Amino acid sequence: MKPKTKIRLGDLLVQKDIISEEQLMQTLSAQKQSGRKLGYMLIELGFMTENQLLTFLSQHLNVPLIDITQYRVSVEAVLLLPEVQARRYRALVLEDKGDHLLVGMSDPADLAAIDILSGVLPKPVEVAVVSDAQLFQAYDRFYRRTEDIASFAQELAEEYQEDAEFDFNTGVDNEQDTAVARLLQSIFEDALQTKASDIHIEPDDDMVRIRLRVDGVLQENIIKEKNIASALVLRLKLMSGLDISEKRLPQDGRTNMRIKGHSIDVRVSTMPVQNGESVVMRLLDQSAGLLSLDQTGMPGPLLKRFRVLLKRPHGMILVTGPTGSGKTTTLYGALSELNQPSTKIITVEDPVEYRLPRINQVQVNNKIGLHFSNVLRTTLRQDPDIIMVGEMRDHETAEIGLRGALTGHLVLSTLHTNDAISSAVRLLDMGAPGYLVASSLRAIIAQRLVRKVCESCTQTYQPKPEETLWLRSIDPQITNVTFRHGRGCQTCNNTGYRGRVGVFELLEMTENMMNALKMNDSITFGKAALLSPGFVPLAKVALTYAKMGITTVEEVLKLIEMVADERADLSTDNMTDEPQEPGEEESVMAQKPPTVNTKQDKIVPSSSEFSFELEPRNDTPDGGNG
């Protein structure tokens, strides 16, 4: 229903005793300086909540109050209103009701905006009140750049010919350059809106695939104009300082882009494939800033123990996990806390992802012989207190880092393994002496990012019998637990998931573990680690999140499989001819995982000998890049 008369919101709120006259005067004074609407100022000053304001407007104007996250919004209806006008008038077409359109507005008393929308839209308008924050989330969700990408690709294909003359200052001629720029701009904007961590551009026989990695899973968009692939690759090479004449060898580069006010650092990797060159771009939003350790999602008790370890003057702390598990985010969070005027910190990275004040950051450059090991040797002569090594990649780097930790430095580094127990064994496999690992290594954090259940479409879920079997292997006490999963909706792009949360395990070295490392006995080390006080396996942490409804059984089983594969490999590598007596201390690492009818082929439980309580947390590291 369209409001008939203009209202004075402040006076009405005072009449209803929702705010006081004094609060209204204070808000009007602040409004004169900011120029923002009265409702926003009341919320910003804390005189009322957004829900109070929306409820009042709904009741006073006799219009419905709608929660967009719970409403089945019609995509076709949304697109009836251009994005520019939707954002300008804080409006969203929610549904076509046949004889009229239902339009959600954050300010349903804005008569001028309603008149303009009535003139723009093809049908009469019925107004509903919606949250301003939900509106902006909806804009990014519904006004995707898919149509723009297809349109610009078609435009480029019409202008571009395979034998075109290229201007090596810009890459292509002026008209084509404009079309390429618009296409790439749309691709990057779409990636930013969906919070993608990577963009994949892959030429195929009769198409170009644009794939975005969102919450760890690729989402595909197909461009039929296959002849534009070379123009896209050429432009990206020019932007990232790569050799445009070299198409036979892989290349790595870097560039920075400004997209919708965000400074995006782009790491570009090209690789020759059968149909041209594939390009993968890792996106890092510098505008978002660093996450603190409190924001990484570590449970309180684990975070407290980690901070104690960081205060020790020497020793090595490893952060481990596969690519994209958020290792780098955790390390930078630790460095931010350690960064003090009294502390000398040097980092050796490839590449340097965040620029930190006061910290000496060195970019590895293998082309000129500036390797991790070379830089690390020099670093030890620079009188540092703390050294951060981007990754333990080889025997030489690992041994230098361990010796640095032994000689009075705190050394932080990462390792590509799937859990904490296998990380120490990996150092031995790399050739590091057992006595050196035992003397230098203080603790290992293993982490993973699991997808969160979409809050807009969450519903209860009963595990299948085979799933329950393996969940009980983690926790035998599981009975009648209600799990949740997402049925799929527009908010989560029909995936059932939205966002990710960190899962962590912390392994601190004990005397038994150090003795096993000195003897190069990985099996004994694994048993001692599983029995160490305070150690909670990744699988158990993930299961606790599933019990709380934060993630799904599917994500837990996926994580179990990854850890099991790693441990099975280590057990095979270190297998002896002596038979093992079965018993309570026998590690599940050596068990062969059976086949289970899930989306993963095999699931192996982790140890179930320890109890674990996890405090609910809201802080979630969406899109750590690790």
Side-chain angles (χ1 to χ4, degrees):
M1 179 180 294
K2 181 177 174 180
K4 301 297 183 184
T5 58
K6 187 171 180 62
I7 62 173
R8 291 172 60 89
L9 177 62
D11 293 338
L12 287 171
L13 291 171
V14 172
Q15 290 175 14
K16 299 291 184 180
D17 291 327
I18 297 176
I19 62 172
S20 66
E21 185 72 34
E22 183 182 351
Q23 289 174 330
L24 175 59
M25 292 294 98
Q26 187 177 338
T27 306
L28 289 172
S29 176
Q31 184 190 25
K32 290 179 181 178
Q33 297 179 359
S34 68
R36 301 182 67 192
K37 291 188 176 182
L38 184 68
Y40 299 134
M41 295 305 303
L42 287 167
I43 296 169
E44 189 174 298
L45 293 173
F47 295 149
M48 65 187 308
T49 65
E50 184 181 33
N51 188 57
Q52 285 178 312
L53 177 61
L54 296 179
T55 302
F56 173 79
L57 290 173
S58 172
Q59 293 173 350
H60 182 77
L61 298 174
N62 193 26
V63 296
L65 172 59
I66 291 179
D67 183 348
I68 296 179
T69 62
Q70 303 297 324
Y71 196 84
R72 287 193 171 275
V73 180
S74 166
V75 179
E76 293 77 12
V78 169
L79 298 180
L80 292 174
L81 183 65
E83 181 182 3
V84 173
Q85 292 174 320
R87 290 182 182 272
R88 178 181 300 166
Y89 301 115
R90 298 287 197 274
L92 185 76
V93 183
L94 303 173
E95 187 180 354
D96 187 342
K97 294 282 191 177
D99 59 342
H100 67 275
L101 299 173
L102 179 62
V103 178
M105 298 182 68
S106 60
D107 183 7
D110 189 341
L111 301 181
I114 294 173
D115 287 339
I116 293 172
L117 292 174
S118 299
V120 171
L121 293 169
K123 293 182 180 181
V125 169
E126 178 187 349
V127 176
V129 59
V130 295
S131 161
D132 200 53
Q134 290 183 6
L135 269 182
F136 279 96
Q137 292 175 358
Y139 293 150
D140 288 343
R141 188 164 71 249
F142 292 110
Y143 290 107
R144 291 285 300 273
R145 295 294 180 266
T146 307
E147 292 186 6
D148 289 344
I149 291 172
S151 175
F152 293 144
Q154 184 177 1
E155 178 184 346
L156 177 60
E158 292 172 355
E159 297 175 356
Y160 175 69
Q161 300 296 329
E162 293 290 347
D163 58 351
E165 292 292 330
F166 291 109
D167 178 353
F168 283 88
N169 292 319
T170 61
V172 291
D173 66 38
N174 290 334
E175 291 184 1
Q176 292 172 14
D177 185 50
T178 301
V180 173
R182 287 201 297 263
L183 176 55
L184 285 175
Q185 180 82 6
S186 296
I187 292 173
F188 279 108
E189 287 181 357
D190 195 37
L192 185 65
Q193 287 185 194
T194 57
K195 297 182 179 179
S197 61
D198 301 83
I199 301 174
H200 296 238
I201 300 178
E202 303 168 346
D204 210 331
D205 285 332
D206 55 354
M207 68 184 70
V208 179
R209 301 181 191 275
I210 308 293
R211 301 204 282 177
L212 306 181
R213 189 173 294 280
V214 181
D215 293 337
V217 179
L218 288 172
Q219 298 179 4
E220 186 173 83
N221 184 21
I222 292 176
I223 296 177
K224 296 180 180 179
E225 294 77 12
K226 65 175 183 177
N227 62 326
I228 68 170
S230 56
L232 283 175
V233 174
L234 180 62
R235 177 62 182 251
L236 289 169
K237 282 185 174 181
L238 285 166
M239 290 166 54
S240 51
L242 301 181
D243 183 355
I244 61 176
S245 64
E246 179 57 75
K247 301 180 180 179
R248 303 165 300 170
L249 297 174
Q251 297 187 68
D252 295 310
R254 187 171 187 164
T255 186
N256 190 274
M257 300 187 69
R258 190 115 189 131
I259 306 291
K260 289 190 170 181
H262 293 254
S263 177
I264 308 296
D265 192 54
V266 185
R267 285 155 47 186
V268 181
S269 173
T270 69
M271 182 177 67
V273 293
Q274 188 172 9
N275 295 290
E277 290 181 273
S278 169
V279 181
V280 176
M281 293 171 282
R282 170 64 58 88
L283 309 181
L284 191 65
D285 189 351
Q286 298 284 351
S287 305
L290 287 173
L291 290 180
S292 67
L293 286 179
D294 293 307
Q295 295 173 308
T296 59
M298 284 189 191
L302 188 149
L303 180 58
K304 185 177 180 180
R305 290 161 56 200
F306 184 41
R307 282 185 165 134
V308 171
L309 290 166
L310 291 174
K311 292 179 180 178
R312 294 183 179 179
H314 57 84
M316 176 178 283
I317 300 175
L318 288 176
V319 181
T320 73
T323 301
S325 60
K327 302 185 297 297
T328 305
T329 300
T330 299
L331 278 183
Y332 273 107
L335 288 179
S336 297
E337 292 198 4
L338 296 169
N339 188 8
Q340 303 293 332
S342 58
T343 304
K344 170 90 169 190
I345 302 177
I346 301 177
T347 72
V348 187
E349 306 172 66
D350 183 21
V352 174
E353 296 196 13
Y354 290 97
R355 275 70 171 180
L356 299 175
R358 198 186 293 117
I359 294 180
N360 297 273
Q361 297 173 270
V362 182
Q363 168 78 53
V364 170
N365 189 343
N366 293 324
K367 293 180 180 178
I368 61 173
L370 195 64
H371 304 290
F372 271 104
S373 54
N374 296 344
V375 179
L376 198 49
R377 284 195 190 91
T378 305
T379 296
L380 294 174
R381 297 192 288 270
Q382 288 281 312
D383 188 30
D385 297 296
I386 300 170
I387 302 170
M388 193 272 274
V389 184
E391 182 185 347
M392 291 293 172
R393 294 189 174 182
D394 52 43
H395 162 261
E396 193 173 13
T397 303
E399 186 162 344
I400 296 171
L402 289 166
R403 292 191 185 279
L406 194 62
T407 55
H409 306 90
L410 177 62
V411 179
L412 308 176
S413 188
T414 70
L415 200 62
H416 279 91
T417 52
N418 281 330
D419 69 344
I421 294 176
S422 59
S423 300
V425 181
R426 186 72 68 196
L427 290 175
L428 299 178
D429 291 344
M430 291 168 66
Y435 73 89
L436 190 58
V437 178
S439 303
S440 304
L441 190 60
R442 294 289 176 265
I444 305 168
I445 285 184
Q447 66 182 76
R448 198 78 79 256
L449 294 176
V450 296
R451 291 182 292 172
K452 294 171 59 180
V453 178
C454 174
E455 295 181 1
S456 298
C457 62
T458 180
Q459 60 184 21
T460 57
Y461 173 73
Q462 187 64 37
K464 300 173 183 177
E466 60 269 23
E467 293 175 335
T468 302
L469 174 66
W470 292 102
L471 292 177
R472 284 178 180 169
S473 298
I474 307 171
D475 182 2
Q477 306 302 319
I478 286 187
T479 53
N480 300 323
V481 177
T482 300
F483 295 97
R484 304 195 72 81
H485 74 165
R487 66 178 181 273
C489 65
Q490 294 166 349
T491 301
C492 60
N493 200 26
N494 293 314
T495 62
Y497 297 96
R498 186 166 176 81
R500 292 187 290 179
V501 63
V503 177
F504 301 84
E505 68 180 11
L506 174 61
L507 179 64
E508 298 181 68
M509 294 298 107
T510 64
E511 185 176 354
N512 289 338
M513 284 187 273
M514 288 189 286
N515 290 334
L517 288 174
K518 289 176 184 177
M519 302 298 294
N520 284 359
D521 188 346
S522 60
I523 293 180
T524 302
F525 172 82
K527 291 179 180 180
L530 288 170
L531 294 173
S532 64
F535 174 69
V536 184
L538 278 171
K540 204 160 221 184
V541 181
L543 179 56
T544 304
Y545 278 126
K547 290 179 182 178
M548 296 164 60
I550 295 173
T551 190
T552 64
V553 170
E554 178 187 3
E555 288 290 286
V556 175
L557 298 183
K558 187 189 302 181
L559 185 147
I560 296 172
E561 180 188 20
M562 294 177 67
V563 174
D565 286 345
E566 179 83 14
R567 292 185 179 179
D569 291 343
L570 291 173
S571 298
T572 303
D573 293 342
N574 296 279
M575 192 172 292
T576 64
D577 294 331
E578 300 178 6
Q580 298 290 324
E581 292 293 332
E584 291 185 356
E585 294 186 0
E586 182 174 353
S587 171
V588 297
M589 293 188 295
Q591 298 178 6
K592 184 178 180 181
T595 300
V596 182
N597 185 23
T598 65
K599 290 187 177 180
Q600 288 77 37
D601 293 328
K602 53 185 180 180
I603 304 296
V604 173
S606 182
S607 173
S608 58
E609 300 177 26
F610 312 103
S611 61
F612 178 62
E613 293 183 0
L614 181 68
E615 300 174 353
R617 299 184 64 86
N618 295 322
D619 36 6
T620 59
D622 290 338
N625 289 330

